[in-house]
Amino acid sequence: MQKNILCFFRAALGDFYLSFPLFYTLRNTYKKDKLTLVASPFATPLLHEKGPWFDEIIHLKDYKPQKQFDRVFDLDINRTGMSATFKPDMDVFDILEATYEVSFNRKKFPELFSLNYTDKEKEEVNELLEKTQRVDARNIVIHTTHRNNYPHGKTPPQSWWEELISLYPQHNFYQVGTTQKLADRIVPDYDFTGFAPNVFDVRDRCNLKQTAYLLEQSDFFIAVDSVVAHLSLASQKRGLVLWGSSSMKIHSHGHNYNLSSKRPCAPCIDLSTNSNCCLFRDPSLYPRVDAVARVLRENFLLQQPKKTGWLIEENMDSVPKNL
């Protein structure tokens, strides 16, 4: 007899993308059963051409609870105190296996995380890059989020980002993210309007698949622990990921350069309800901008410009050691 199974997803957009192996595994575990997904309308477009994983997809805002399911998988990763509950050496996929009693074929991950771009999606991104190209400029995608996002302590203040951007006036920065409040825990990202002519605001102009394609077409990216850092799995595009309150061990990806803040409370509990994060109270615990500039120079070959009367030299005595 066919079972009616619900996959109810209430976590963040990045967690949705990281759950692709779980969706695939559930589909292959319950091949003859009806599998229904309830998730955010911002996330479900990522499933383009992967829809066969589910028999029905319902947006959260349209879902009316009904007692009709034989089994429910409630994926509410945001409310799980991962650092306190699981072993320190476990990653997010270990946790999903332990939580939902599934076993992943990790050799299939590259295939599962690949995204199917439409011709229109690619054309719009290619047109953006063509219109903004400059001689010898490198293209860098940034995703800053905002300090008011939950959980607190995921990103440094806006002044930190402005200082970093100001070091590289000769390169292009494409800011992805949102200008809108999408949910209680998702607020508008920092606004750099008028700050510098080399910062291109593409917030809300790129959907999640286009953001992944923009990463693929750019030189590298700089982001915090966010959906953008996870979307780099689609093309294995390497970037610098700055880790604040969330667990670098659990959520990071090996192809990126992962730089952690100094958390005196580490490992802290990664709860979305944590409003007293030490990093939110004391942003100086984040790596200094000059330390990040060293990482960018040594790992991404990003040089600061040489100007008349201001020659930036490789002086190892002055390189900050507090990485």
Side-chain angles (χ1 to χ4, degrees):
M1 182 177 179
Q2 185 187 55
K3 294 181 180 179
N4 199 4
I5 298 170
L6 173 66
C7 185
F8 193 76
F9 197 93
R10 292 182 287 171
L13 299 178
D15 295 325
F16 182 87
Y17 180 59
L18 289 181
S19 297
F20 275 19
L22 178 60
F23 298 157
Y24 169 83
T25 301
L26 291 177
R27 175 76 282 170
N28 281 274
T29 302
Y30 300 97
K31 294 181 179 180
K32 298 182 179 180
D33 299 314
K34 181 179 179 181
L35 199 57
T36 301
L37 171 70
V38 174
S40 166
F42 299 108
T44 51
L46 282 171
L47 291 172
H48 175 66
E49 294 188 5
K50 297 180 185 289
W53 291 350
F54 297 98
D55 298 290
E56 184 178 7
I57 297 176
I58 304 173
H59 291 160
L60 273 170
K61 58 184 178 65
D62 299 326
Y63 176 67
K64 297 179 180 179
Q66 300 177 30
K67 296 182 179 180
Q68 63 182 31
F69 298 99
D70 300 296
R71 185 166 185 181
V72 176
F73 292 92
D74 189 352
L75 280 71
D76 195 0
I77 298 173
N78 292 319
R79 302 182 185 276
T80 303
M82 289 185 171
S83 297
T85 307
F86 297 98
K87 297 178 181 178
D89 60 344
M90 296 177 75
D91 61 29
V92 66
F93 304 110
D94 294 327
I95 293 170
L96 289 174
E97 283 182 320
T99 305
Y100 298 103
E101 299 177 355
V102 296
S103 179
F104 295 146
N105 178 359
R106 302 189 185 216
K107 292 182 179 180
K108 289 187 67 68
F109 277 18
E111 173 189 341
L112 297 178
F113 285 122
S114 66
L115 294 173
N116 301 299
Y117 313 116
T118 65
D119 290 340
K120 183 179 179 180
E121 287 171 335
K122 290 192 294 184
E123 287 171 5
E124 290 175 350
V125 172
N126 292 335
E127 183 179 353
L128 167 68
L129 292 173
E130 183 177 349
K131 285 183 177 180
T132 55
Q133 67 180 348
R134 294 187 297 157
V135 177
D136 296 331
R138 302 188 71 184
N139 295 330
I140 305 160
V141 176
I142 58 172
H143 189 216
T144 66
T145 70
H146 194 284
R147 293 196 77 207
N148 290 337
N149 276 28
Y150 283 95
H152 290 318
K154 269 198 172 186
T155 187
Q158 181 166 344
S159 58
W160 186 97
W161 288 96
E162 290 178 346
E163 181 182 355
L164 180 66
I165 293 169
S166 67
L167 296 179
Y168 307 103
Q170 76 278 34
H171 298 302
N172 293 334
F173 290 89
Y174 299 89
Q175 185 194 10
V176 298
T178 181
T179 63
Q180 308 173 54
K181 184 174 182 178
L182 301 180
D184 289 339
R185 65 186 306 274
I186 304 177
V187 300
D189 297 325
Y190 293 137
D191 187 354
F192 299 108
T193 301
F195 171 69
N198 63 323
V199 180
F200 300 100
D201 185 0
V202 294
R203 294 174 300 164
D204 297 328
R205 289 179 58 186
C206 294
N207 62 32
L208 291 179
K209 285 197 296 170
Q210 287 178 309
T211 298
Y213 182 68
L214 178 60
L215 292 180
E216 182 179 334
Q217 298 303 309
S218 301
D219 291 288
F220 64 93
F221 70 91
I222 306 172
V224 297
D225 170 31
S226 66
V227 62
V228 171
H230 301 314
L231 287 173
S232 68
L233 286 169
S235 61
Q236 294 290 302
K237 174 62 70 173
R238 189 169 186 251
L240 170 63
V241 182
L242 186 67
W243 292 87
S245 60
S246 48
S247 171
M248 181 171 70
K249 171 56 187 173
I250 292 175
H251 298 96
S252 66
H253 308 297
H255 67 278
N256 290 322
Y257 188 103
N258 296 288
L259 183 60
S260 181
S261 57
K262 293 184 177 180
R263 295 185 293 168
C265 58
C268 65
I269 300 175
D270 299 323
L271 289 175
S272 62
T273 53
N274 178 14
S275 60
N276 297 306
C277 178
C278 58
L279 291 160
F280 188 76
R281 300 193 305 270
D282 185 6
S284 68
L285 295 171
Y286 283 99
R288 291 169 52 184
V289 170
D290 51 3
V292 174
R294 177 189 173 187
V295 172
L296 294 175
R297 182 175 69 249
E298 294 180 349
N299 293 272
F300 297 92
L301 304 179
L302 191 69
Q303 302 289 343
Q304 296 167 242
K306 294 181 179 181
K307 297 182 179 180
T308 303
W310 181 49
L311 179 62
I312 299 175
E313 299 177 333
E314 295 290 340
N315 185 349
M316 296 308 295
D317 293 333
S318 66
V319 173
K321 301 299 191 297
N322 59 337
L323 290 182

